[in-house]
Short mmCIF file of all heavy atoms in Angstrom, two decimals:
data_model
loop_
_atom_site.label_atom_id
_atom_site.label_comp_id
_atom_site.label_asym_id
_atom_site.label_seq_id
_atom_site.Cartn_x
_atom_site.Cartn_y
_atom_site.Cartn_z
N TYR A 89 124.41 155.52 101.12
CA TYR A 89 125.56 155.06 101.97
C TYR A 89 125.21 153.79 102.77
O TYR A 89 126.04 152.86 102.85
CB TYR A 89 125.90 156.24 102.87
CG TYR A 89 127.05 155.86 103.82
CD1 TYR A 89 128.41 155.86 103.28
CD2 TYR A 89 126.90 155.53 105.13
CE1 TYR A 89 129.46 155.59 104.07
CE2 TYR A 89 127.96 155.24 105.94
CZ TYR A 89 129.29 155.22 105.43
OH TYR A 89 130.32 154.92 106.15
N GLU A 90 124.04 153.73 103.34
CA GLU A 90 123.66 152.59 104.17
C GLU A 90 123.30 151.39 103.35
O GLU A 90 123.29 150.25 103.93
CB GLU A 90 122.55 152.91 105.10
CG GLU A 90 122.96 153.83 106.27
CD GLU A 90 123.84 153.11 107.23
OE1 GLU A 90 123.83 151.88 107.37
OE2 GLU A 90 124.61 153.83 107.85
N PHE A 91 123.02 151.55 102.07
CA PHE A 91 122.61 150.38 101.27
C PHE A 91 123.72 149.31 101.14
O PHE A 91 123.44 148.18 101.07
CB PHE A 91 122.19 150.82 99.84
CG PHE A 91 121.49 149.77 99.07
CD1 PHE A 91 120.20 149.41 99.33
CD2 PHE A 91 122.17 149.10 97.99
CE1 PHE A 91 119.59 148.39 98.59
CE2 PHE A 91 121.57 148.14 97.31
CZ PHE A 91 120.29 147.77 97.63
N LYS A 92 124.95 149.78 101.20
CA LYS A 92 126.09 148.87 101.18
C LYS A 92 126.28 148.14 102.44
O LYS A 92 126.70 146.99 102.53
CB LYS A 92 127.36 149.67 100.79
CG LYS A 92 127.30 150.24 99.44
CD LYS A 92 128.51 151.15 99.23
CE LYS A 92 128.37 151.92 97.93
NZ LYS A 92 129.45 152.87 97.74
N ASN A 93 126.03 148.84 103.63
CA ASN A 93 126.25 148.28 104.94
C ASN A 93 125.09 147.49 105.49
O ASN A 93 125.19 146.34 105.89
CB ASN A 93 126.63 149.42 105.92
CG ASN A 93 127.91 150.10 105.49
OD1 ASN A 93 128.70 149.55 104.80
ND2 ASN A 93 127.95 151.40 105.77
N SER A 94 123.93 148.15 105.58
CA SER A 94 122.75 147.58 106.25
C SER A 94 121.55 147.96 105.51
O SER A 94 121.15 149.13 105.48
CB SER A 94 122.72 148.06 107.70
OG SER A 94 121.48 147.61 108.28
N LYS A 95 120.86 146.99 104.88
CA LYS A 95 119.70 147.31 104.08
C LYS A 95 118.53 147.74 104.95
O LYS A 95 117.69 148.52 104.44
CB LYS A 95 119.31 146.03 103.30
CG LYS A 95 120.48 145.58 102.38
CD LYS A 95 120.06 145.52 100.96
CE LYS A 95 121.04 144.85 100.07
NZ LYS A 95 122.33 145.33 100.04
N SER A 96 118.43 147.28 106.18
CA SER A 96 117.30 147.71 107.01
C SER A 96 117.43 149.23 107.37
O SER A 96 116.38 149.89 107.29
CB SER A 96 117.24 146.88 108.25
OG SER A 96 118.43 147.04 108.99
N TYR A 97 118.55 149.67 107.69
CA TYR A 97 118.72 151.08 107.91
C TYR A 97 118.52 151.95 106.65
O TYR A 97 118.00 153.02 106.63
CB TYR A 97 120.12 151.44 108.52
CG TYR A 97 120.25 150.94 109.93
CD1 TYR A 97 121.14 150.02 110.29
CD2 TYR A 97 119.41 151.51 110.95
CE1 TYR A 97 121.30 149.56 111.60
CE2 TYR A 97 119.60 151.10 112.29
CZ TYR A 97 120.52 150.14 112.61
OH TYR A 97 120.64 149.67 113.85
N ALA A 98 118.97 151.35 105.57
CA ALA A 98 118.84 152.07 104.30
C ALA A 98 117.38 152.22 103.89
O ALA A 98 116.97 153.30 103.50
CB ALA A 98 119.58 151.34 103.19
N PHE A 99 116.59 151.16 104.06
CA PHE A 99 115.19 151.31 103.63
C PHE A 99 114.39 152.05 104.68
O PHE A 99 113.40 152.77 104.28
CB PHE A 99 114.62 149.89 103.42
CG PHE A 99 115.03 149.32 102.11
CD1 PHE A 99 115.86 148.23 102.06
CD2 PHE A 99 114.65 149.87 100.92
CE1 PHE A 99 116.25 147.69 100.88
CE2 PHE A 99 115.01 149.34 99.68
CZ PHE A 99 115.86 148.28 99.66
N SER A 100 114.79 152.06 105.89
CA SER A 100 114.10 152.92 106.90
C SER A 100 114.38 154.41 106.55
O SER A 100 113.46 155.23 106.66
CB SER A 100 114.50 152.61 108.30
OG SER A 100 115.83 152.86 108.52
N ALA A 101 115.59 154.73 106.18
CA ALA A 101 115.91 156.04 105.82
C ALA A 101 115.18 156.45 104.50
O ALA A 101 114.68 157.57 104.39
CB ALA A 101 117.41 156.23 105.57
N LEU A 102 115.02 155.50 103.59
CA LEU A 102 114.30 155.82 102.33
C LEU A 102 112.82 156.06 102.61
O LEU A 102 112.25 157.01 102.08
CB LEU A 102 114.50 154.64 101.39
CG LEU A 102 113.75 154.86 100.03
CD1 LEU A 102 114.36 156.00 99.26
CD2 LEU A 102 113.80 153.58 99.22
N ILE A 103 112.19 155.27 103.47
CA ILE A 103 110.80 155.43 103.79
C ILE A 103 110.56 156.79 104.44
O ILE A 103 109.66 157.54 104.07
CB ILE A 103 110.30 154.27 104.60
CG1 ILE A 103 110.18 152.94 103.83
CG2 ILE A 103 108.96 154.57 105.26
CD1 ILE A 103 109.96 151.71 104.63
N ILE A 104 111.34 157.10 105.45
CA ILE A 104 111.22 158.35 106.08
C ILE A 104 111.51 159.54 105.22
O ILE A 104 110.81 160.54 105.27
CB ILE A 104 112.11 158.38 107.35
CG1 ILE A 104 111.61 157.34 108.37
CG2 ILE A 104 112.12 159.72 108.02
CD1 ILE A 104 112.47 157.14 109.59
N CYS A 105 112.47 159.35 104.32
CA CYS A 105 112.79 160.44 103.35
C CYS A 105 111.62 160.65 102.41
O CYS A 105 111.29 161.81 102.13
CB CYS A 105 114.10 159.97 102.61
SG CYS A 105 114.49 161.05 101.21
N LEU A 106 111.03 159.61 101.95
CA LEU A 106 109.86 159.70 101.06
C LEU A 106 108.64 160.31 101.75
O LEU A 106 107.90 161.16 101.14
CB LEU A 106 109.50 158.35 100.43
CG LEU A 106 110.51 157.82 99.42
CD1 LEU A 106 110.12 156.43 98.94
CD2 LEU A 106 110.72 158.77 98.27
N ILE A 107 108.42 159.94 103.00
CA ILE A 107 107.33 160.52 103.75
C ILE A 107 107.57 162.04 103.96
O ILE A 107 106.68 162.87 103.78
CB ILE A 107 107.18 159.83 105.15
CG1 ILE A 107 106.58 158.42 104.91
CG2 ILE A 107 106.28 160.62 106.02
CD1 ILE A 107 106.62 157.57 106.13
N ASN A 108 108.84 162.44 104.30
CA ASN A 108 109.17 163.80 104.48
C ASN A 108 109.03 164.57 103.21
O ASN A 108 108.50 165.71 103.20
CB ASN A 108 110.53 163.97 105.03
CG ASN A 108 110.67 163.56 106.51
OD1 ASN A 108 109.67 163.56 107.22
ND2 ASN A 108 111.78 163.18 106.84
N GLY A 109 109.50 164.00 102.07
CA GLY A 109 109.40 164.69 100.79
C GLY A 109 107.95 164.88 100.31
O GLY A 109 107.59 165.94 99.80
N SER A 110 107.15 163.80 100.51
CA SER A 110 105.75 163.97 100.08
C SER A 110 104.96 164.96 101.02
O SER A 110 104.12 165.67 100.50
CB SER A 110 105.11 162.58 100.09
OG SER A 110 105.06 162.06 101.39
N PHE A 111 105.31 164.96 102.29
CA PHE A 111 104.72 165.97 103.15
C PHE A 111 105.09 167.36 102.71
O PHE A 111 104.25 168.27 102.70
CB PHE A 111 105.09 165.74 104.62
CG PHE A 111 104.55 166.79 105.51
CD1 PHE A 111 103.26 166.89 105.87
CD2 PHE A 111 105.47 167.78 105.96
CE1 PHE A 111 102.80 167.93 106.63
CE2 PHE A 111 104.98 168.80 106.78
CZ PHE A 111 103.65 168.89 107.14
N TYR A 112 106.33 167.57 102.41
CA TYR A 112 106.82 168.87 101.95
C TYR A 112 106.05 169.32 100.70
O TYR A 112 105.54 170.44 100.65
CB TYR A 112 108.33 168.89 101.75
CG TYR A 112 108.80 170.18 101.11
CD1 TYR A 112 108.92 171.36 101.86
CD2 TYR A 112 109.23 170.19 99.77
CE1 TYR A 112 109.36 172.50 101.27
CE2 TYR A 112 109.65 171.34 99.19
CZ TYR A 112 109.71 172.50 99.91
OH TYR A 112 110.16 173.65 99.34
N MET A 113 105.96 168.44 99.72
CA MET A 113 105.29 168.78 98.48
C MET A 113 103.79 169.06 98.73
O MET A 113 103.19 169.96 98.19
CB MET A 113 105.44 167.68 97.49
CG MET A 113 106.88 167.58 96.98
SD MET A 113 107.55 169.08 96.29
CE MET A 113 106.52 169.32 94.85
N PHE A 114 103.17 168.20 99.57
CA PHE A 114 101.77 168.42 99.92
C PHE A 114 101.56 169.78 100.59
O PHE A 114 100.62 170.47 100.28
CB PHE A 114 101.27 167.27 100.82
CG PHE A 114 99.86 167.37 101.22
CD1 PHE A 114 98.84 167.13 100.30
CD2 PHE A 114 99.54 167.63 102.55
CE1 PHE A 114 97.52 167.20 100.67
CE2 PHE A 114 98.20 167.76 102.93
CZ PHE A 114 97.21 167.53 101.97
N ALA A 115 102.40 170.11 101.49
CA ALA A 115 102.30 171.40 102.23
C ALA A 115 102.53 172.58 101.27
O ALA A 115 101.86 173.61 101.37
CB ALA A 115 103.32 171.48 103.40
N LYS A 116 103.43 172.45 100.33
CA LYS A 116 103.68 173.51 99.35
C LYS A 116 102.48 173.68 98.46
O LYS A 116 102.11 174.81 98.11
CB LYS A 116 104.92 173.21 98.53
CG LYS A 116 106.18 173.45 99.22
CD LYS A 116 106.37 174.84 99.74
CE LYS A 116 107.15 175.66 98.78
NZ LYS A 116 107.46 177.03 99.32
N ILE A 117 101.86 172.59 98.03
CA ILE A 117 100.69 172.65 97.16
C ILE A 117 99.50 173.29 97.86
O ILE A 117 98.83 174.18 97.37
CB ILE A 117 100.34 171.27 96.60
CG1 ILE A 117 101.41 170.81 95.62
CG2 ILE A 117 99.01 171.28 95.92
CD1 ILE A 117 101.30 169.40 95.20
N ILE A 118 99.31 172.84 99.09
CA ILE A 118 98.19 173.41 99.92
C ILE A 118 98.43 174.87 100.20
O ILE A 118 97.48 175.67 100.13
CB ILE A 118 98.07 172.59 101.21
CG1 ILE A 118 97.58 171.21 100.92
CG2 ILE A 118 97.10 173.26 102.18
CD1 ILE A 118 96.20 171.08 100.31
N SER A 119 99.62 175.28 100.54
CA SER A 119 99.86 176.68 100.87
C SER A 119 99.83 177.64 99.65
O SER A 119 99.62 178.79 99.81
CB SER A 119 101.23 176.78 101.59
OG SER A 119 102.29 176.53 100.70
N SER A 120 99.97 177.07 98.44
CA SER A 120 99.94 177.93 97.30
C SER A 120 98.52 178.13 96.73
O SER A 120 98.28 178.90 95.82
CB SER A 120 100.79 177.31 96.18
OG SER A 120 100.22 176.14 95.71
N MET A 121 97.55 177.47 97.35
CA MET A 121 96.15 177.62 96.87
C MET A 121 95.55 178.91 97.39
O MET A 121 95.85 179.46 98.35
CB MET A 121 95.32 176.42 97.32
CG MET A 121 95.67 175.22 96.68
SD MET A 121 94.52 173.89 97.18
CE MET A 121 94.81 172.71 95.89
#
Side-chain angles (χ1 to χ4, degrees):
Y89 181 76
E90 286 292 333
F91 191 75
K92 298 173 187 173
N93 300 330
S94 173
K95 303 236 188 307
S96 60
Y97 289 116
F99 284 111
S100 63
L102 180 66
I103 289 170
I104 293 172
C105 174
L106 291 177
I107 289 171
N108 289 336
S110 61
F111 173 76
Y112 171 73
M113 292 305 295
F114 180 71
K116 285 302 263 188
I117 290 170
I118 292 295
S119 66
S120 68
M121 290 184 165

